[in-house]
Amino acid sequence: MKLPTDLVKMYKEIHGWVGIVSGLALFIAFYAGAVTMFEAPLQRWASPPSTLAQAPSLARTPELVATVLAAHPEAAKGYQIHLSIDSANPARMSWTSAEGEEAEHGGGTKHYASLAPDGSVQVVTSGPSEVAQFIDVLHQQVGLPFAHEIAMPIMGAIALLYTIALVSGLVVLLPSLVSDLFALRIGKNVKRMWLDVHNVLGLFSLPFHIIMALTAVVFAFHDQFYDAQGMVFGGRERGGSAAVSRAAAPPLPLAPVQLVERIRQQAPGFTPEVLVYGEGRGGVPSLRVQGSDARYGLRAPTYGMAGVDPATGDIISTDYMPGMQDGWSATVTSFFALHFGNFGGDAIRWSYFVLGLAGAFLFYTGNLLWVESRRKKERRAGAVEQTRATRILAALTAGVPLGCIAGISLTLAASKLLGESATYGLHSAIYYTVFLSMTAWALVRGAARAGVELAAAAALAMLAIPVVSFLVGSDWFDTAGLMLVDATAVALAIALMLSAHASWRRAHNGARDSVWSSSARTPQSA
């Protein structure tokens, strides 16, 4: 396709500048997002064994609830019944106690309850690891350590830049689309090779990136969209917990065994996983059921939900119920499902994992190309030494991605090594300490040296994951968790070691005036 040269040049400039502004943040979002594709098995892998007695059967759950509410009446305001028990859901019953500011922001202390052999209630506050939640927040906020309300609009702006980069990159590629579509020229021209890799990754994963860009904008400005909808169409209440409104005292709720049976009768393909009890308006009982259906996309990353009458088991709210939604709700859910990749089973999840890693690599190669292009422009303009801006950008291109990888790896290892001591705050402290230290190291050492050293350090951090699994022992995890988490970590560690070797060769054999050359002179000023 023939396009005017000036138009292609303009879009090339736009693509380069937009990419360099948003690329490092998008690397963090895509890498952390790829990790969260297996959030549930990751949480099972990281969570310590429960100290509670074995969970009572579902048939004995009414006895458990009655005993807990007698000892802890505050739990009646809202509690959960878990239908399957594992390290991520270690108890049949749980609830959260929160007061004041904690309650306003959805925080508080999580309690887990079981019945001791003598029938007395056991309650603990140590539960599943919070590392998976931390990585998910890291993904949502593109690595920004700010409050959610501040980080999300910034993420939305980055997503908009991301969309511009996609459009401008496609325009730049169109003139040579046919000749360069399957080209991957590996040789002495390293910049040409990276450009080919960048173009191939970008073009063949373009639908995935369009989905990510558009859905990220929806997530970032979710509240604003709903506020605007409420102003235009009125305040339609959507998908909350279903309360049973009755003039007289409500009848007793069905037992969980009966509720599960009623739900399966009404939605045969839906698998109930959690019963969430609460109080609706006027203090009447409310119930929503969380679960999944492999045939449909889900509103939350791992579950959909339905409002249920606790007295009859009838499904009375289907806004978030997979397979039973109206057109509007299904449309909104499709945005969430396309972003989360929670449809189609493990095949889609593995595809999203690979595409997420490829996306992170796409932004990394984009930064490499931008720095190389800037180096050539400076040389043509008569500059003998690299400017300070180019050296800083090159150092950040090495430090930020590798700092992110190492930080996530070490906080994952810490979750298993420290067990109950590894709080959300500790995971945050470990990650940002590693991330900022490695970024600072890159700025001090320069891109060429740091590229080798930090890639090797990130590989060692990745290997800490299976090493900690070995040290903790086999009683902690199941075989599936070992295969998924530890084997993937070993594969990524090998890839990082190969990257360190390639960076070493480039530093010693590449162009001497390049920021990637360890033999280049270190300028005293820019």
Side-chain angles (χ1 to χ4, degrees):
M1 179 181 292
K2 186 66 175 177
L3 294 175
T5 303
D6 290 344
L7 180 66
V8 174
K9 184 177 180 181
M10 179 188 71
Y11 273 98
K12 189 174 183 179
E13 287 290 324
I14 293 173
H15 183 72
W17 279 107
V18 170
I20 201 69
V21 168
S22 60
L24 295 176
L26 288 171
F27 179 97
I28 297 173
F30 269 70
Y31 182 80
V35 174
T36 60
M37 288 311 302
F38 295 99
E39 182 175 351
L42 186 65
Q43 191 174 34
R44 288 195 297 270
W45 176 89
S47 299
S50 176
T51 58
L52 287 170
Q54 184 176 357
S57 66
L58 195 58
R60 289 189 65 194
T61 301
E63 177 188 349
L64 169 66
V65 173
T67 306
V68 169
L69 295 184
H72 302 273
E74 72 279 4
K77 295 180 179 179
Y79 60 90
Q80 297 181 336
I81 300 299
H82 302 276
L83 303 181
S84 60
I85 307 299
D86 54 29
S87 55
N89 297 301
R92 183 67 69 190
M93 180 179 179
S94 66
W95 74 95
T96 301
S97 61
E99 297 180 359
E101 187 176 342
E102 279 187 338
E104 292 180 7
H105 293 85
T109 303
K110 192 75 174 284
H111 303 270
Y112 303 87
S114 186
L115 291 176
D118 62 0
S120 61
V121 66
Q122 284 184 327
V123 177
V124 299
T125 56
S126 58
S129 171
E130 295 184 278
V131 68
Q133 180 188 355
F134 168 73
I135 297 173
D136 188 31
V137 172
L138 199 67
H139 156 68
Q140 294 176 30
Q141 300 186 175
V142 292
L144 298 172
F146 306 143
H148 199 66
E149 296 78 9
I150 298 173
M152 292 308 286
I154 299 175
M155 185 276 280
I158 291 173
L160 290 172
L161 292 176
Y162 174 26
T163 305
I164 296 172
L166 291 175
V167 174
S168 57
L170 184 60
V171 172
V172 170
L173 187 59
L174 281 176
S176 60
L177 181 61
V178 176
S179 60
D180 292 350
L181 182 59
F182 295 102
L184 186 56
R185 287 157 283 196
I186 300 175
K188 293 184 178 180
N189 191 337
V190 179
K191 182 176 181 290
R192 178 76 256 181
M193 180 192 71
W194 283 123
L195 180 60
D196 288 343
V197 171
H198 183 79
N199 289 342
V200 169
L201 284 176
L203 186 63
F204 282 97
S205 60
L206 183 61
F208 174 77
H209 286 281
I210 291 174
I211 290 170
M212 293 299 108
L214 294 178
T215 53
V217 172
V218 172
F219 292 157
F221 303 111
H222 180 272
D223 292 341
Q224 291 85 343
F225 288 153
Y226 269 96
D227 289 343
Q229 175 196 328
M231 293 175 62
V232 175
F233 300 107
R236 180 185 175 189
E237 188 175 327
R238 310 193 63 81
S241 58
V244 183
S245 178
R246 306 182 191 280
L252 293 175
L254 291 179
V257 172
Q258 296 170 302
L259 281 168
V260 170
E261 181 60 29
R262 284 285 298 126
I263 293 163
R264 286 174 175 164
Q265 290 172 1
Q266 299 169 79
F270 182 75
T271 303
E273 295 166 358
V274 183
L275 307 178
V276 184
Y277 291 86
E279 291 182 355
R281 295 175 183 175
V284 297
S286 69
L287 171 64
R288 69 177 185 269
V289 178
Q290 296 176 183
S292 60
D293 190 330
R295 301 170 300 173
Y296 302 99
L298 307 174
R299 181 61 179 263
T302 58
Y303 62 84
M305 55 187 170
V308 175
D309 186 328
T312 65
D314 294 336
I315 295 176
I316 56 178
S317 177
T318 60
D319 283 352
Y320 297 162
M321 180 65 167
M324 299 179 68
Q325 297 171 304
D326 59 23
W328 169 260
S329 298
T331 300
V332 173
T333 294
S334 68
F335 281 93
F336 288 82
L338 284 171
H339 190 92
F340 296 142
N342 58 20
F343 58 94
D346 288 342
I348 294 296
R349 288 198 174 276
W350 276 108
S351 298
Y352 267 53
F353 175 75
V354 173
L355 286 167
L357 292 182
F361 193 64
L362 178 71
F363 304 122
Y364 175 69
T365 56
N367 276 34
L368 289 179
L369 291 167
W370 194 93
V371 170
E372 278 294 292
S373 297
R374 189 174 177 88
R375 174 180 72 89
K376 290 190 175 183
K377 287 181 181 178
E378 291 168 352
R379 188 171 56 188
R380 285 196 299 267
V384 178
E385 298 171 341
Q386 298 296 319
T387 63
R388 180 177 299 165
T390 303
R391 297 197 316 275
I392 290 174
L393 285 170
L396 290 175
T397 298
V400 169
L402 294 171
C404 169
I405 293 171
I408 289 177
S409 300
L410 288 179
T411 202
L412 273 171
S415 69
K416 200 154 195 172
L417 187 64
L418 301 178
E420 297 175 3
S421 303
T423 63
Y424 187 95
L426 182 60
H427 286 304
S428 180
I430 292 172
Y431 171 80
Y432 284 109
T433 297
V434 174
F435 174 78
L436 293 174
S437 297
M438 292 183 72
T439 302
W441 182 270
L443 290 169
V444 172
R445 293 284 288 165
R449 295 181 180 88
V452 179
E453 297 160 350
L454 295 183
L460 292 176
M462 190 70 71
L463 287 175
I465 294 173
V467 168
V468 166
S469 286
F470 176 78
L471 293 176
V472 169
S474 60
D475 291 340
W476 183 296
F477 49 77
D478 55 49
T479 304
L482 170 64
M483 294 296 292
L484 180 61
V485 179
D486 293 351
T488 302
V490 170
L492 292 176
I494 293 172
L496 286 165
M497 289 305 297
L498 293 174
S499 173
H501 179 66
S503 298
W504 182 87
R505 285 192 309 175
R506 179 73 188 278
H508 287 80
N509 302 326
R512 291 175 61 85
D513 66 333
S514 171
V515 289
W516 310 112
S517 173
S518 60
S519 58
R521 289 179 294 169
T522 302
Q524 299 301 315
S525 62

